[in-house]
Amino acid sequence: MTDEELVVEFALARLDNPGLDLEEVAALVVRRLGSERMLEFASRTLASRDELRGAVFPAAVEHVLRVVLTLRGPVD
């Protein structure tokens, strides 16, 4: 899954759940995409950090947040 596709998934989930904070939306995205994507995202976190802190699910959520916040750009 590309970063752009991930951002679209995140945006759709956020539209469906406007009351959730960013981390909760990221967790929802990881759950929606399933275990295969969760492992993919966790492995990307491992690759970028050179370590895997904690369980797979939180590492996958961390990756989703990192991608969304990176592509969002700097805040003015």
Side-chain angles (χ1 to χ4, degrees), residues 18-40:
L20 299 179
D21 67 19
L22 294 179
E23 189 170 353
E24 292 170 325
V25 174
L28 183 61
V29 168
V30 171
R31 283 189 196 99
R32 281 185 181 179
L33 294 176
S35 59
E36 187 175 313
R37 293 288 185 207
M38 179 174 54
L39 290 174
E40 175 188 340

Side-chain angles (χ1 to χ4, degrees), residues 13-73:
R14 187 140 192 221
L15 285 172
D16 290 342
N17 303 282
L20 299 179
D21 67 19
L22 294 179
E23 189 170 353
E24 292 170 325
V25 174
L28 183 61
V29 168
V30 171
R31 283 189 196 99
R32 281 185 181 179
L33 294 176
S35 59
E36 187 175 313
R37 293 288 185 207
M38 179 174 54
L39 290 174
E40 175 188 340
F41 297 157
S43 69
R44 289 184 187 181
T45 297
L46 173 62
S48 67
R49 289 180 138 204
D50 266 348
E51 66 178 343
L52 185 61
R53 295 183 193 170
V56 172
F57 183 79
V61 170
E62 178 183 333
H63 171 73
V64 172
L65 281 174
R66 185 179 316 111
V67 168
V68 169
L69 294 175
T70 300
L71 292 180
R72 211 169 117 175

